[in-house]
Amino acid sequence: MATGVCGTEPLVFRLHEGAPELVREVLLERGWEEFEEQQQEEGDWNLYWRAAAFRNSDYENTMPWQRLNHHPKTVGITRKDWLARNLRRMRGTFGSALYNFSPTAFNLPNDYVRFLEEYSKHRLANGNQGAYWICKPVDLSRGRGIFIFEDIKDLVYDCPVIVQKYISNPLLISGYKFDLRIYVCVKSFSPLTIYMYQEGLVRFATEKFNLGALNNLYSHLTNTSINKFGPFYSTDKEYIGEGCKWTLSKFRCFLQSLRINELLLWQKINNIVTLTLLTIAPSIPSSPNCIELFGFDILIDENFKPWLLEVNYSPALSMDCSADVTVKKGLINDLIDLLNYTEIDHFRQRGYLRQKYRRPCYLGSQILQARTPPVLLLPKCLCKTSSCEKCQGQSYLCSRGGSPDSCGTAQRPPQYCSDENLNCALQLNLGSSLKPATHYCHKKTHSPHSQKPKLVEGSRPYDLESENEYGSCVSSPGMVKENSKRKSGSFAKLPPIHGHKYKPPVYPWDYKVKNTGVPPSRVGDFILTFPFNEVTLRASQKKLNIKMAVQEVYKLTSQLIASGRHKGKRRKEEISRSLGGEDKLESLLWGPRNPPSLSDCCLKT
């Protein structure tokens, strides 16, 4: 909480060119203001939303009151060829018992020989009858460049593509193919924290499924960007209705009419999301002020097995029909609630300077920090310099500006000008990670070696308690007494070789401090799906333990399968023990209309 500040300023959002108009609409309705580059300072915003990826410098210079809508380096799952490669690696490490949710895939041209072997094996095994394959450009979206083939002579491409085995037995509704768009929010990769949105979209093809017409994209693809131009898009289709979308709520009603193990189906989709994100989680740099919204495309076959088709970076937020309005507006509202803005964030840098929060939030990479240190937006009173602050061509920062007399230079030589203020300003700018400020000066003497630079005694170490509320340095009585004893020609002693290692201070807004607690199990319609018990909570802390996380996912799925077989005869205490004991987490199962707790799910039939 900011002290000494009356009233609450509105939060400010910044939209890059191409950002969804829905984001602007929702934020303005919530009372936010839009960032004006011509009128406001560069860092005077709270949320920066881009459709494309951010630059490294954007992550490095992020301040504690700011949020970005992308994590760095998530291309490992959002690009089709990288996703296939990473899933193949995880399947080789943990086996196909869990990592069997993605169709067999080959990255061409690199895997052409492997694909040719697989293609030939299928034709020989099926009496010269080949399987169906689907070819997709690796870096295109919205269904562009996709085609389906059976004969290898029809495989023609002029860019890197991925060829997957086509799922030729999809679950159909009134003869129409469909897939699910599941919205997934990764609040943090370190520790890994995953939320899945309760509502979603069911996307239909606009013509009935027909393997005899592989060239008919309106029959085989479910992309809205393609089907909205189909001849039957506006037709009232049997049981589907007009258009090509349902909400996930309507799909739940359809599942209930089939009388299947609905809980197990939802958990399998949940597993797909968690296991996919585990493939890249260890490689994502720590980025505490970032959040990511993914769009997972899931296809269900006639055996009710879910398959991962792809993961979408910046899923479309356009409003094409009533289902979009129902789902996406609530999605953005709940996503903003997940950002955890506090009252001090409304005041941006003014509030954090008053609270003495000094360290910028970068990626957590020491290399990046050393290469491009972030710049804190200092008040103008800290940026002014005066003529008294120049010594041998070097300018020194005065905490409050003003005349030379105000800096105390009339009583002491120029080389001592504003040492404490220089150290304070540097510490303020670089996150209190610097050593005490020192500088060299030339002292006139008759010695022939007098022109060699001498190290002059520096100021005291940076002390937060010796600052006023605006971040300027205030000399304590001890400092004044020490400075009065100081002689103009005194030299500093060299620091001890085996001195104590410097430990940076920990501030109340520090990310590690924030995330040591238990994340909320539900925020709006976002359901926490990882961590889901005490074991996965421990596995996600510090360095992510992937092996332990995978084992717990497998164990949970086994419990749900066993609960269906034993028809709820297992005691609740036994289920609780098998799920990791008495948990601090009140874990819910994502998917059902009213999400039940995981322990209750394992007792149901």
Side-chain angles (χ1 to χ4, degrees):
M1 300 286 291
T3 56
V5 183
C6 299
T8 301
E9 297 183 6
L11 294 167
V12 177
F13 67 92
R14 180 180 181 181
L15 298 184
H16 193 263
E17 184 179 355
E21 186 63 30
L22 176 64
V23 176
R24 174 184 282 111
E25 179 184 336
V26 169
L27 292 176
L28 290 176
E29 288 178 359
R30 293 173 66 103
W32 288 50
E33 290 184 355
E34 187 163 3
F35 177 74
E36 298 289 344
E37 293 188 18
Q38 304 299 327
Q39 301 177 6
Q40 294 174 270
E41 296 183 0
E42 175 63 25
D44 197 22
W45 47 266
N46 297 96
L47 173 63
Y48 192 2
W49 191 290
R50 292 178 62 128
F54 288 97
R55 299 164 296 184
N56 282 343
S57 58
D58 293 324
Y59 294 108
E60 295 164 20
N61 297 325
T62 302
M63 295 300 174
W65 60 86
Q66 296 174 334
R67 310 286 189 272
L68 306 177
N69 74 308
H70 291 303
H71 284 281
K73 300 184 179 181
T74 58
V75 69
I77 61 173
T78 57
R79 186 173 154 125
K80 299 177 184 69
D81 53 343
W82 288 36
L83 174 62
R85 190 178 301 118
N86 282 324
L87 290 178
R88 187 186 307 138
R89 172 178 56 83
M90 295 295 280
R91 190 182 301 116
T93 303
F94 297 102
S96 58
L98 279 175
Y99 280 92
N100 63 344
F101 51 80
S102 179
T104 304
F106 302 92
N107 296 325
L108 303 186
N110 293 345
D111 295 338
Y112 184 78
V113 174
R114 290 180 55 245
F115 166 67
L116 194 59
E117 292 175 355
E118 186 72 14
Y119 174 84
S120 301
K121 183 173 68 175
H122 274 281
R123 287 193 84 86
L124 290 174
N126 298 313
N128 208 33
Q129 183 71 27
Y132 295 99
W133 303 89
I134 184 168
C135 181
K136 308 175 184 178
V138 298
D139 56 354
L140 293 182
S141 59
R142 303 192 298 276
R144 293 173 294 174
I146 296 178
F147 63 92
I148 303 165
F149 67 95
E150 184 180 8
D151 196 325
I152 197 170
K153 69 180 182 181
D154 296 324
L155 175 60
V156 180
Y157 56 93
D158 58 359
C159 64
V161 297
I162 181 172
V163 173
Q164 289 178 306
K165 185 175 288 187
Y166 185 58
I167 300 173
S168 57
N169 61 333
L171 180 65
L172 305 176
I173 299 180
S174 295
Y176 294 92
K177 181 182 175 181
F178 67 91
D179 69 5
L180 309 180
R181 168 60 60 86
I182 307 297
Y183 294 103
V184 177
C185 173
V186 180
K187 189 177 179 185
S188 165
F189 277 98
S190 178
L192 183 60
T193 308
I194 305 171
Y195 286 87
M196 294 176 65
Y197 198 59
Q198 272 290 99
E199 196 55 272
L201 293 172
V202 184
R203 308 182 307 170
F204 289 91
T206 51
E207 295 188 23
K208 292 195 174 184
F209 184 74
N210 182 11
L211 286 174
L214 296 181
N215 293 329
N216 186 358
L217 297 182
Y218 302 122
S219 172
H220 295 277
L221 300 187
T222 60
N223 304 79
T224 305
S225 55
I226 290 177
N227 281 282
K228 66 183 180 181
F229 298 108
F232 300 101
Y233 176 74
S234 301
T235 305
D236 189 2
K237 295 172 282 296
E238 179 187 359
Y239 197 74
I240 306 299
E242 295 182 2
C244 63
K245 288 182 183 177
W246 279 3
T247 63
L248 210 55
S249 296
K250 189 171 182 179
F251 179 68
R252 291 188 184 99
C253 298
F254 168 75
L255 285 181
Q256 290 173 0
S257 66
L258 300 180
R259 300 192 177 187
I260 63 168
N261 190 344
E262 184 185 349
L263 298 182
L264 184 59
L265 174 63
W266 294 125
Q267 182 57 37
K268 286 181 178 179
I269 297 175
N270 190 343
N271 290 352
I272 290 175
V273 171
T274 301
L275 295 173
T276 301
L277 290 169
L278 284 173
T279 63
I280 62 165
S283 63
I284 304 299
S286 176
S287 43
N289 282 25
C290 299
I291 200 167
E292 186 83 57
L293 181 66
F294 293 108
F296 278 69
D297 290 342
I298 306 293
L299 178 73
I300 302 174
D301 66 19
E302 61 184 10
N303 299 315
F304 295 98
K305 176 181 179 179
W307 296 86
L308 175 65
L309 299 182
E310 61 185 47
V311 181
N312 292 272
Y313 186 83
S314 290
L317 294 175
S318 56
M319 313 289 272
D320 296 321
C321 60
S322 58
D324 285 332
V325 177
T326 302
V327 174
K328 295 177 181 179
K329 200 162 187 179
L331 171 70
I332 298 301
N333 269 299
D334 289 343
L335 185 69
I336 301 303
D337 291 336
L338 269 174
L339 292 174
N340 288 343
Y341 283 107
T342 60
E343 186 172 343
I344 193 174
D345 292 321
H346 289 259
F347 300 99
R348 292 173 286 283
Q349 74 165 342
R350 286 196 301 108
Y352 277 86
L353 285 172
R354 292 185 179 219
Q355 289 295 322
K356 301 176 183 175
Y357 296 154
R358 293 287 187 262
R359 288 175 59 194
C361 295
Y362 356 95
L363 288 173
S365 169
Q366 296 299 325
I367 296 177
L368 289 176
Q369 292 178 25
R371 186 172 62 220
T372 51
V375 178
L376 184 64
L377 298 175
L378 299 175
K380 293 182 179 179
C381 62
L382 290 178
C383 298
K384 294 180 181 177
T385 58
S386 60
S387 60
C388 73
E389 293 168 318
K390 298 180 180 179
C391 175
Q392 298 294 333
Q394 293 180 342
S395 62
Y396 293 90
L397 186 64
C398 182
S399 66
R400 306 290 294 189
S403 65
D405 293 338
S406 66
C407 296
T409 55
Q411 290 81 15
R412 56 181 179 174
Q415 66 264 29
Y416 288 106
C417 173
S418 193
D419 279 348
E420 296 86 41
N421 296 325
L422 169 64
N423 190 50
C424 176
L426 290 174
Q427 295 285 1
L428 179 63
N429 190 23
L430 298 182
S432 303
S433 60
L434 294 178
K435 297 179 181 179
T438 58
H439 64 275
Y440 291 96
C441 71
H442 299 282
K443 184 180 178 181
K444 294 182 179 180
T445 178
H446 297 289
S447 170
H449 304 288
S450 60
Q451 297 304 316
K452 292 183 179 181
K454 303 289 185 180
L455 181 64
V456 179
E457 185 174 1
S459 65
R460 294 173 61 88
Y462 181 68
D463 185 7
L464 283 177
E465 299 302 325
S466 64
E467 295 178 355
N468 63 13
E469 64 174 348
Y470 294 98
S472 57
C473 296
V474 179
S475 298
S476 63
M479 292 173 65
V480 175
K481 185 176 180 180
E482 182 177 342
N483 291 336
S484 65
K485 294 180 180 179
R486 212 182 269 168
K487 295 182 179 180
S488 61
S490 62
F491 301 108
K493 292 183 179 180
L494 292 175
I497 297 177
H498 303 289
H500 296 289
K501 291 184 178 179
Y502 174 72
K503 295 182 179 180
V506 177
Y507 298 97
W509 63 268
D510 198 324
Y511 176 70
K512 292 182 179 179
V513 176
K514 276 186 176 180
N515 287 277
T516 53
V518 177
S521 59
R522 182 167 188 166
V523 177
D525 274 342
F526 275 108
I527 306 297
L528 178 70
T529 58
F530 190 93
F532 54 83
N533 61 12
E534 191 70 28
V535 178
T536 51
L537 181 63
R538 291 197 305 270
S540 65
Q541 300 294 331
K542 296 181 181 178
K543 186 177 180 180
L544 178 64
N545 189 330
I546 297 182
K547 183 177 180 180
M548 184 182 296
V550 171
Q551 288 174 345
E552 288 300 308
V553 170
Y554 180 78
K555 187 187 298 184
L556 175 59
T557 307
S558 301
Q559 295 298 333
L560 287 172
I561 295 174
S563 66
R565 291 174 181 171
H566 292 87
K567 307 226 178 257
K569 293 180 181 180
R570 300 181 65 190
R571 293 186 307 149
K572 188 170 184 178
E573 294 80 2
E574 183 183 351
I575 296 295
S576 178
R577 250 191 333 270
S578 62
L579 290 175
E582 293 296 329
D583 282 338
K584 298 178 183 178
L585 290 168
E586 293 292 335
S587 304
L588 302 175
L589 177 66
W590 170 87
R593 184 187 301 273
N594 297 310
S597 67
L598 285 178
S599 57
D600 290 341
C601 291
C602 293
L603 293 172
K604 291 183 178 181
T605 58

